[in-house]
Amino acid sequence: MSSQRVHSAQHTVSVTAPAGVVYGLLADAPRWPVLLPDFVHVERVDFDGTEERLRLWHLRHGQVCSALVRRVLRPRERRIEFELQDALLPGAPTSGTWSVASDGADRCLLTLRHERPAEPRQTSEALASGVRAELAALREAAERWDRLDELLLSFEESVYVCGAPELVYDFLYRIEDWAELVPDVEWAEVTEDQPGVQTAVLHTCAPETGETLVSEAVRLCFPAAGRIVHKETVTPDLLAAHYGEWYLEPDATGVRVVSTHQVMLRESAVEAVLGAGALLVDARRHAREWLGRSSTEALVLARWHAESAVRRLR
């Protein structure tokens, strides 16, 4: 029998958003990486309309951690029950319930009831502090609900490559070489303390101004699937969040290479970055052009890398 201490608690916050909006945010876990700072990537493993399993990658004490979560969604009651099936502390999975209760037309109460293992030497206050930070992030995301159509931006770029998928993936994986290959990248540093989990720091040249922009990102590399997921942890001023993916779609003659982007704009920085009088519509156009151009340059170079290697082998 385990002697692991279990911490049980309940926390409630008031949220200035309709209850349905807050429940929708909790239920739509694959969108969390662009809405919640600590989530790097969320994949829905299976879903039957009520019960689902999610694979989560999130930042914990600065490290990328992964967990498999089982959830039961109860939209009529606005309640979600969850259990971590392979938690960071084996044998003592975290479990609990999220619930949302209306508190007027545009306000609700968000409650988290949970049980989680207490780590050695970790106090109840330390555990509570982490939960409060998670609730604060959810509240901040939900309270933007009436602005999300303007603040969120999603798009993709793609190229077709007449070459081997392995060569394309190799180019995208070796981001530390991009300073010598990609025009906008001035400097790059990559560490990979866990296999397939990269931390990248990039210095890029800003369009129009020529200013150096510094970004840091976590990259999850899935070579067997031909995918690299990336989430910026330090973003340029205009972006509150930036999450995306490179993925390959091979066929009989080559491979389609796609770069996707999901962006949350930082409204308070729009005029500071783009000038007095600039609006969110200007920020959307600027981010679309800037990020689109950067990813297209990388895609074109990935194509050159793969196709030139094929020509050399002939």
Side-chain angles (χ1 to χ4, degrees):
M1 182 174 180
S2 173
S3 60
Q4 177 88 56
R5 289 190 304 119
V6 175
H7 175 82
S8 301
Q10 174 174 314
H11 300 264
T12 299
V13 294
S14 178
V15 184
T16 308
V21 168
V22 176
Y23 177 83
L25 169 61
L26 291 169
D28 192 6
R31 293 186 72 195
W32 290 354
V34 77
L35 297 172
L36 302 174
D38 288 341
F39 283 88
V40 175
H41 182 52
V42 179
E43 287 195 7
R44 182 173 279 132
V45 178
D46 54 51
F47 185 41
D48 64 7
T50 299
E51 185 172 324
E52 67 180 357
R53 287 192 304 148
L54 304 171
R55 172 62 68 180
L56 308 176
W57 286 264
H58 59 103
L59 291 169
R60 186 172 183 268
H61 308 312
Q63 299 295 315
V64 178
C65 304
S66 173
L68 185 66
V69 181
R70 173 184 170 272
R71 303 204 309 172
V72 179
L73 308 184
R74 305 191 186 279
R76 290 186 179 180
E77 297 89 352
R78 297 198 183 105
R79 190 172 77 250
I80 299 174
E81 300 155 11
F82 64 90
E83 178 183 20
L84 271 67
Q85 296 185 319
D86 63 349
L88 298 172
L89 298 174
T94 297
S95 61
T97 304
W98 291 98
S99 59
V100 186
S102 294
D103 188 28
D106 293 320
R107 182 175 291 276
C108 64
L109 297 175
L110 171 61
T111 298
L112 171 60
R113 300 179 183 90
H114 66 93
E115 291 187 350
R116 64 176 65 196
E119 298 180 5
R121 297 180 299 279
Q122 187 172 35
T123 66
S124 296
E125 176 54 33
L127 288 167
S129 176
V131 171
R132 285 195 294 267
E134 186 175 359
L135 287 167
L138 284 162
R139 178 173 59 194
E140 182 179 356
E143 289 183 345
R144 296 173 175 149
W145 69 276
D146 59 343
R147 305 283 283 160
L148 285 182
D149 286 346
E150 295 177 90
L151 292 172
L152 289 175
L153 175 65
S154 299
F155 63 94
E156 69 176 40
E157 306 285 353
S158 67
V159 299
Y160 189 81
V161 179
C162 296
E166 295 82 3
L167 293 172
V168 176
Y169 187 88
D170 176 69
F171 177 88
L172 298 174
Y173 174 79
R174 291 188 297 103
I175 193 173
E176 66 271 17
D177 295 339
W178 284 16
E180 300 175 0
L181 300 171
V182 180
D184 282 353
V185 179
E186 299 174 345
W187 182 81
E189 180 182 7
V190 177
T191 57
E192 189 168 341
D193 295 331
Q194 305 174 53
V197 180
Q198 297 179 332
T199 300
V201 181
L202 295 182
H203 291 195
T204 58
C205 182
E208 301 170 2
T209 66
E211 177 189 4
T212 296
L213 303 176
V214 179
S215 64
E216 296 183 18
V218 172
R219 297 181 7 128
L220 305 177
C221 305
F222 306 98
R227 300 172 59 209
I228 298 176
V229 174
H230 55 90
K231 162 72 178 279
E232 289 196 37
T233 53
V234 175
T235 59
D237 291 342
L238 190 61
L239 309 184
H242 180 206
Y243 164 74
E245 180 176 352
W246 306 91
Y247 67 89
L248 311 184
E249 295 181 332
D251 60 24
T253 59
V255 58
R256 179 173 176 256
V257 191
V258 183
S259 171
T260 71
H261 298 268
Q262 295 184 48
V263 172
M264 172 81 77
L265 297 170
R266 181 177 285 114
E267 189 169 8
S268 61
V270 170
E271 291 197 19
V273 173
L274 300 181
L279 304 173
L280 274 173
V281 65
D282 303 310
R284 291 174 65 85
R285 181 171 57 251
H286 178 83
R288 174 67 178 88
E289 292 174 354
W290 154 40
L291 294 173
R293 180 172 61 250
S294 295
S295 59
T296 297
E297 288 176 348
L299 289 167
V300 169
L301 286 166
R303 179 171 62 191
W304 174 86
H305 176 76
E307 292 182 348
S308 63
V310 171
R311 287 193 294 270
R312 289 195 298 271
L313 290 172
R314 287 176 178 169

